[in-house]
Amino acid sequence: MKTERLLAITMILLEKKQVSASKLAEMLEVSVRTIYRDINSLSEAGIPVTSSPGVNGGIQIMENYKVDKQFFTSTDITSLLIALESLSNNVSPLRINQTFEKIKTLVPANFLDEVEFKTNQIAIDLTPWTSNHTLQPSLEIVKSGMDQARLLRFNYEDNQGRKTARIVEPYRLVLKEISWYLQAFCTEKADFRTFKISRMIDLELLPTPFASRDFHPKPLGKEPFYGKDFTLTTLKVTHKIKDQLVDKFGQLTISPSDEPEKWIVEFPFMEDEFGYNLLLGFGNQCECLTPPHVRTELKRRIETVLELYQNS
């Protein structure tokens, strides 16, 4: 990933006086073109990286530029390592291990034990309970497309079941809750589009390179929940559902119910498919008490499902 690569380039250049672009490309398993783009990114970030042409030329950091290892505290390094650990199930173990070792070179020897102890105190596991292991090869292909600035081709099936063939310029991978998405420029639509990785079929990396466009990342999916109009509903839920609602939507107004081990929750309800499917998914552990029209619609949907099974 680009952030890891930029850090790796910086550490390599700090350790060595001068390195050729081709050597950096070989070490980091990317194209020379990608290395030059990364060098421009480092320069824009304020790191004085220079390059000299010729047989004896190469890329280097200006002699008077120094990075004090004490600039990073043990807490800073711990945060970096924990963040990398959270990616370990989605990035190849080899890449993670290499990055770990590079970051540890920033830590003075007398702080290594402290950093390792603090890193082991927090674990972030972003993998779902039921994981789709077939996604990993697709993620690697997409990452290669971004690293090498090469086109991707795949067949795509949207949430309505419509199938299309796409060729795209990949720009950004996004993990949203438990799903991965690609933000890319679609050559067919001549515009930026977002694609769900699990809906890509026959994904392949083409040999065709592309020139990077001016890409501005956009928020993925719906607007924040509380930024929309909603209907205030009153729900009677079990303790388990109460906890799930608080985890997903934050603090809510909650009071004890007249039934043991049940709670009354004032819930800001979105009257769309997502909202109704959410409440129906709680089964008999959640009852909508008010408003009447939401309760009536839930009953209608339940009856439709019941009819489906009664007729089979």
Side-chain angles (χ1 to χ4, degrees):
M1 298 176 77
K2 184 174 181 180
T3 303
E4 300 172 30
R5 200 170 59 246
L6 291 176
L7 178 60
I9 291 173
T10 303
M11 298 309 301
I12 291 171
L13 293 180
L14 286 171
E15 292 177 5
K16 303 179 182 297
K17 185 174 181 180
Q18 183 173 274
V19 185
S20 68
S22 58
K23 182 63 176 177
L24 283 173
E26 179 184 346
M27 294 171 68
L28 300 174
E29 299 180 347
V30 295
S31 67
V32 172
R33 184 177 179 180
T34 296
I35 291 297
Y36 279 118
R37 282 204 306 270
D38 289 343
I39 296 304
N40 287 335
S41 296
L42 289 173
S43 297
E44 292 171 1
I47 298 178
V49 181
T50 61
S51 60
S52 53
V55 177
N56 298 319
I59 299 168
Q60 60 186 352
I61 291 180
M62 291 176 61
E63 288 292 337
N64 60 351
Y65 181 78
K66 301 291 182 182
V67 173
D68 186 354
K69 290 184 178 181
Q70 296 295 338
F71 177 76
F72 288 101
T73 66
S74 61
T75 301
D76 295 330
I77 299 298
T78 299
S79 298
L80 286 170
L81 294 176
I82 290 173
L84 284 174
E85 181 67 29
S86 70
L87 295 174
S88 61
N89 292 300
N90 296 304
V91 179
S92 67
L94 177 60
R95 291 186 184 181
I96 289 293
N97 291 335
Q98 290 174 341
T99 306
F100 260 69
E101 294 307 314
K102 290 166 186 171
I103 290 181
K104 284 182 179 179
T105 64
L106 296 169
V107 187
N110 56 321
F111 284 124
L112 271 175
D113 290 342
E114 178 186 352
V115 167
E116 290 184 359
F117 174 77
K118 288 183 176 180
T119 301
N120 290 329
Q121 286 182 317
I122 299 176
I124 301 175
D125 188 351
L126 298 177
T127 57
W129 291 106
T130 54
S131 180
N132 183 356
H133 296 291
T134 62
L135 281 181
Q136 188 61 39
S138 295
L139 290 174
E140 292 300 328
I141 292 174
V142 171
K143 289 173 192 172
S144 296
M146 292 189 296
D147 286 343
Q148 301 172 32
R150 289 164 56 185
L151 295 176
L152 299 175
R153 178 167 57 199
F154 53 88
N155 295 314
Y156 193 71
E157 182 174 343
D158 66 16
N159 58 6
Q160 301 298 318
R162 296 178 295 238
K163 298 179 180 179
T164 54
R166 303 295 184 104
I167 295 178
V168 304
E169 302 170 1
Y171 285 94
R172 189 188 194 207
L173 268 174
V174 181
L175 177 61
K176 182 75 170 181
E177 291 192 341
I178 63 171
S179 299
W180 280 99
Y181 297 84
L182 170 65
Q183 293 180 327
F185 183 85
C186 177
T187 59
E188 178 188 356
K189 302 296 184 181
D191 197 5
F192 288 97
R193 292 287 190 271
T194 298
F195 303 94
K196 194 171 185 178
I197 301 295
S198 62
R199 293 182 184 148
M200 294 179 178
I201 304 168
D202 300 326
L203 173 64
E204 60 177 316
L205 177 65
L206 298 179
T208 312
F210 64 88
S212 296
R213 300 172 189 270
D214 189 15
F215 170 66
H216 300 284
K218 295 181 179 180
L220 184 66
K222 297 183 178 181
E223 298 172 7
F225 185 78
Y226 286 102
K228 292 185 170 185
D229 294 331
F230 57 81
T231 301
L232 188 62
T233 60
T234 304
L235 308 177
K236 182 188 289 187
V237 301
T238 62
H239 183 80
K240 178 181 178 181
I241 301 304
K242 174 179 73 71
D243 283 352
Q244 288 184 29
L245 291 173
V246 171
D247 284 344
K248 194 172 186 67
F249 300 100
Q251 291 301 316
L252 302 168
T253 301
I254 301 172
S255 57
S257 166
D258 54 0
E259 294 184 44
E261 299 184 3
K262 288 196 175 181
W263 301 83
I264 301 299
V265 178
E266 291 185 9
F267 178 65
F269 175 70
M270 298 302 304
E271 294 192 48
D272 57 11
E273 287 300 309
F274 171 81
Y276 281 107
N277 289 338
L278 174 70
L279 296 188
L280 290 172
F282 294 143
N284 63 358
Q285 297 188 69
C286 173
E287 178 186 0
C288 177
L289 303 178
T290 63
H293 75 276
V294 173
R295 182 180 174 90
T296 299
E297 175 61 17
L298 285 167
K299 289 172 64 177
R300 186 193 69 79
R301 290 174 180 242
I302 293 171
E303 289 168 355
T304 300
V305 175
L306 180 60
E307 183 180 346
L308 174 67
Y309 283 93
Q310 286 178 334
N311 292 336
S312 61

